Amino acid sequence: MKYLFFSVFLTFSLFGETSDKYTGPIPASEKRLVDGKSEFVKTGQFPNEWKLFFKAKEGDFAVFYDLNGDEFHYRYRRNKFDLDGEWFVKDLIVGNPYIVSGEWIGYYFYALDERKKRSSFALPKKLPAEPTEFSDKQSIPIFKLVFYKEILTDELLY
């Protein structure tokens, strides 16, 4: 009984302390893909600058994600022989936060078939975007990568 009380007390005290500690380099109030899509539906404008985490390089794209885990694809090279594009993204580190800006050039859309089942292959769509397709939860925006900068924190971690 004494050990159960101690473990419950320790658990509550640990969870109570985390609210004052470091929460991460990107604040929870930062806009996410869902917010950008709703802004596009209302105004017709989609933001070009985001605070995102780097995931990986896939083909000619650098893949980033927001706090919800939704992906953004940034084209950083013309083809696999574009060494300048490869040099441009050589400093990206998986999991690190970045301020990323680019020119919005299209989106990936996963279409529904006759049975209302989602396709496993994405259709790349160019602008202008269809609001109903782009606001779909599964659609992924495609940008041309213009600039990125790593977000550094000023807080002391101990």
Side-chain angles (χ1 to χ4, degrees), residues 12 63 86 89 113 118 143:
F12 283 126
V63 180
E86 196 66 44
V89 297
D113 63 8
R118 193 158 307 271
F143 292 89

Side-chain angles (χ1 to χ4, degrees), residues 55-73:
K55 181 178 179 182
K57 291 190 288 185
E58 295 178 1
D60 297 334
F61 295 93
V63 180
F64 292 85
Y65 62 95
D66 65 4
L67 290 171
N68 288 351
D70 295 325
E71 291 185 353
F72 295 73
H73 289 217

Side-chain angles (χ1 to χ4, degrees), residues 23-122:
T23 56
I26 299 178
S29 60
E30 193 61 40
K31 67 184 169 198
R32 299 175 185 168
L33 181 58
V34 175
D35 302 327
K37 287 180 179 181
S38 65
E39 182 180 327
F40 174 74
V41 170
K42 291 176 187 174
T43 65
Q45 299 293 321
F46 190 66
N48 288 330
E49 186 172 293
W50 297 86
K51 291 184 180 178
L52 304 168
F53 296 98
F54 177 63
K55 181 178 179 182
K57 291 190 288 185
E58 295 178 1
D60 297 334
F61 295 93
V63 180
F64 292 85
Y65 62 95
D66 65 4
L67 290 171
N68 288 351
D70 295 325
E71 291 185 353
F72 295 73
H73 289 217
Y74 284 84
R75 186 177 194 100
Y76 67 91
R77 62 184 185 180
R78 293 182 305 272
N79 57 35
K80 67 181 180 180
F81 304 109
D82 185 4
L83 298 177
D84 292 335
E86 196 66 44
W87 180 260
F88 179 55
V89 297
K90 71 177 177 48
D91 295 330
L92 290 173
I93 299 171
V94 175
N96 278 9
Y98 293 91
I99 297 173
V100 187
S101 64
E103 177 188 340
W104 186 37
I105 57 174
Y107 60 99
Y108 287 120
F109 178 67
Y110 293 89
L112 297 173
D113 63 8
E114 309 82 43
R115 301 172 297 157
K116 302 296 182 194
K117 300 286 184 181
R118 193 158 307 271
S119 171
S120 58
F121 298 107

Side-chain angles (χ1 to χ4, degrees), residues 123-138:
L123 300 172
K125 302 271 187 149
K126 294 187 178 186
L127 296 182
E130 180 68 35
T132 56
E133 287 181 357
F134 185 64
S135 63
D136 185 49
K137 183 181 177 193
Q138 302 295 323

